[in-house]
Amino acid sequence: MDKYNYFAVDIGNSWYKALASDKGIVSEYQIPNAISLFDDEFFEKPYDDEDVLFEENLIVEIKSQAIFDKREIYYIGKAAAKQRDVSLTGFNNQKVDEDRTYVLLFGLAAYHAAVLNPEDTEIHYNIDQLAVSLPTTQYKEKKDKFKQRLLGTHTVIFQKVPGVPEPKELVVKLHVKDVIVGAEGACAYLSLTRDQETLGIQDDTLVRDSRKGIIIGDLGGDSVDFVGIKNNKPVASVEGKPFGINQFLDNIIQKVSKNELYKFDSRSELEEKLISGQSEWYVEPFAGVKKDISKYIIPQLKSMAVKYLEHFDRVRSNSNEIKGATKYIAVGGAAKLAKKQIQESAVRWTERGLRIELLFPEDMEKLNVRGLMILAKMNQIKKDQESAIEFASIKG
């Protein structure tokens, strides 16, 4: 199993989280879901290459059958988040149909290839199994289309690469041999129950609990996906909902801009502040002037927590397949950010007779991408077994 290259990407509306396994060596990445058009005329130069991190200066041009507009050049990730015309995700966006998905996904994979080959300016990188995620509704309707657009060879040209001689370009050709698409939430369950290396069951208790039913609520940037698990298998009829933390982040950004005269570069700047904890919930609109912004953050997180519980309660009440579920699990980066507010809301619900007791597993924001890596390895084993049977039948 370790003789292959695997690349797993959780395509979040706030962050792209990736795990790469190259013949057993594991790497981990995370970049904001942000792109911005690059214009050479406005590129600030010259700069001292030693002062520029490549990860924060990703400028890409993509040549691929998956991209409709092949002429544009983009900043991606942290580089894009610093630009004035940064483009973030729109509400209820369709990931499979948008160029930004492929620009970011191929750009991130190519960046990983470049990190592996720091001396080369033309790189060929094979991905034996690419595992990607979609919200549950989009998964049902578009997983096959997504797979077809990702298969094959895609060329990524990095421009203005620090440390590379003029014309400061780096070319990466990604060769994607196979693709597996997973549903968000279901991948989290896979990660909770199986070991990432051996792929064997690591949590027998959770698997046993699934006989009565488990509901997983994956709260992300623009969607909350509920997956019902019964007898260790996902129940397909629980639909994703167009609701997530991004609308609340935008409200905070607007209020801080209006009242404190501080403009966040992007949602990711605010999210990094939230992740750091309440002691960091300050902005500095002018040098030496610190403003406490917790009064804008806390009400928004409370509001999101209440609506998240309402969605959870609606799902557990309405789905025939998982009526009688005995365990409810919160996962996703947004659920982690608002864990305290969700727990407080759940207590108030219990006092009113509406008991809802959620579990918050460790590293809940990384469960989907870990599940995708497991899915990639399982798909490769299945492929190898099918090849062996086919070879035996020909030989026999």
Side-chain angles (χ1 to χ4, degrees):
M1 194 163 60
D2 283 347
K3 62 183 178 181
Y4 297 107
N5 291 347
Y6 305 96
F7 200 76
V9 190
D10 179 9
I11 303 173
N13 283 313
S14 292
W15 295 85
Y16 274 43
K17 301 184 183 75
L19 276 178
S21 175
D22 298 275
K23 298 177 174 56
I25 300 174
V26 177
S27 308
E28 187 172 349
Y29 303 94
Q30 176 172 299
I31 64 170
N33 186 338
I35 64 172
S36 173
L37 279 173
F38 173 76
D39 189 332
D40 196 43
E41 184 181 350
F42 297 104
F43 183 69
E44 294 183 12
K45 59 180 180 180
Y47 56 72
D48 187 340
D49 277 6
E50 293 181 356
D51 294 334
V52 180
L53 292 174
F54 184 28
E55 184 183 0
E56 297 181 5
N57 193 60
L58 297 179
I59 303 169
V60 300
E61 181 180 2
I62 309 287
K63 304 294 183 186
S64 164
Q65 47 85 19
I67 304 285
F68 290 109
D69 193 343
K70 300 179 177 61
R71 296 167 300 176
E72 301 291 1
I73 301 173
Y74 296 94
Y75 290 99
I76 62 170
K78 290 183 179 179
K82 296 174 183 174
Q83 306 305 314
R84 289 186 176 181
D85 64 340
V86 58
S87 166
L88 306 172
T89 57
F91 188 61
N92 200 21
N93 66 90
Q94 298 299 301
K95 296 176 181 177
V96 176
D97 300 325
E98 298 186 14
D99 278 357
R100 68 179 297 128
T101 301
Y102 305 94
V103 171
L104 281 156
L105 197 160
F106 295 146
L108 182 54
Y111 171 68
H112 167 63
V115 170
L116 288 182
N117 302 276
E119 304 300 324
D120 299 334
T121 54
E122 183 163 341
I123 300 165
H124 287 261
Y125 179 63
N126 293 321
I127 300 176
D128 295 291
Q129 289 289 335
L130 172 63
V132 290
S133 59
L134 286 175
T136 49
T137 306
Q138 294 180 40
Y139 171 81
K140 293 175 187 176
E141 298 171 353
K142 298 183 176 178
K143 65 176 179 178
D144 293 334
K145 180 181 178 183
F146 200 21
K147 180 176 178 176
Q148 290 307 313
R149 290 182 73 173
L150 292 171
L151 283 169
T153 297
H154 316 279
T155 301
V156 179
I157 305 166
F158 287 110
Q159 308 201 4
K160 312 294 181 189
V161 180
V164 171
E166 292 292 344
K168 302 182 80 62
E169 287 187 2
L170 178 59
V171 178
V172 181
K173 289 186 180 292
L174 300 169
H175 306 285
V176 180
K177 297 181 177 178
D178 201 5
V179 176
I180 181 83
V181 183
E184 294 167 4
C187 290
Y189 176 76
L190 203 57
S191 177
L192 285 169
T193 53
R194 288 188 181 270
D195 183 86
Q196 195 169 316
E197 296 301 321
T198 67
L199 309 184
I201 298 291
Q202 65 176 359
D203 191 335
D204 291 318
T205 304
L206 193 57
V207 173
R208 280 198 300 274
D209 289 341
S210 76
R211 293 172 188 165
K212 293 183 178 178
I214 295 170
I215 303 175
I216 294 176
D218 182 6
L219 184 56
D222 283 323
S223 71
V224 55
D225 289 273
F226 293 96
V227 176
I229 307 292
K230 202 75 178 279
N231 295 318
N232 203 29
K233 293 180 180 177
V235 180
S237 61
V238 183
E239 301 292 336
K241 301 290 181 184
F243 165 80
I245 195 172
N246 283 349
Q247 57 189 287
F248 299 94
L249 295 178
D250 290 345
N251 288 341
I252 296 169
I253 289 170
Q254 288 172 8
K255 289 178 185 297
V256 171
S257 175
K258 179 181 178 183
N259 299 316
E260 307 299 346
L261 305 178
Y262 180 86
K263 180 80 169 63
F264 283 94
D265 283 339
S266 67
R267 293 172 188 147
S268 59
E269 182 191 349
L270 173 57
E271 280 188 279
E272 287 179 342
K273 202 172 276 296
L274 296 182
I275 292 168
S276 299
Q278 193 163 350
S279 62
E280 299 297 322
W281 292 357
Y282 292 88
V283 294
E284 196 169 339
F286 310 104
V289 178
K290 280 192 169 184
K291 296 282 189 177
D292 182 358
I293 59 170
S294 58
K295 59 186 175 185
Y296 308 110
I297 294 172
I298 293 172
Q300 292 298 319
L301 294 183
K302 284 183 175 179
S303 177
M304 183 181 72
V306 170
K307 292 186 186 322
Y308 176 54
L309 290 181
E310 288 173 352
H311 280 303
F312 227 120
D313 188 52
R314 193 173 300 119
V315 167
R316 71 172 177 175
S317 302
N318 295 341
S319 176
N320 290 327
E321 289 86 349
I322 47 176
K323 267 188 177 174
T326 56
K327 191 162 277 187
Y328 311 116
I329 302 175
V331 303
K336 183 173 185 174
L337 287 177
K339 178 181 175 181
K340 180 182 176 186
Q341 287 75 21
I342 294 169
Q343 288 174 320
E344 289 172 351
S345 294
V347 169
R348 288 193 291 275
W349 275 41
T350 301
E351 290 170 350
R352 300 203 310 265
L354 294 168
R355 186 179 180 81
I356 182 164
E357 189 172 337
L358 295 181
L359 297 176
F360 294 84
E362 288 186 12
D363 295 332
M364 66 182 84
E365 77 281 14
K366 297 179 180 178
L367 292 176
N368 275 316
V369 71
R370 290 177 182 173
L372 284 166
M373 178 57 74
I374 292 169
L375 204 60
K377 292 180 177 179
M378 293 174 77
N379 199 42
Q380 186 62 50
I381 290 173
K382 180 184 173 187
K383 192 174 178 180
D384 287 349
Q385 289 172 341
E386 288 172 350
S387 297
I389 292 171
E390 188 177 338
F391 176 74
S393 64
I394 294 171
K395 191 178 178 182

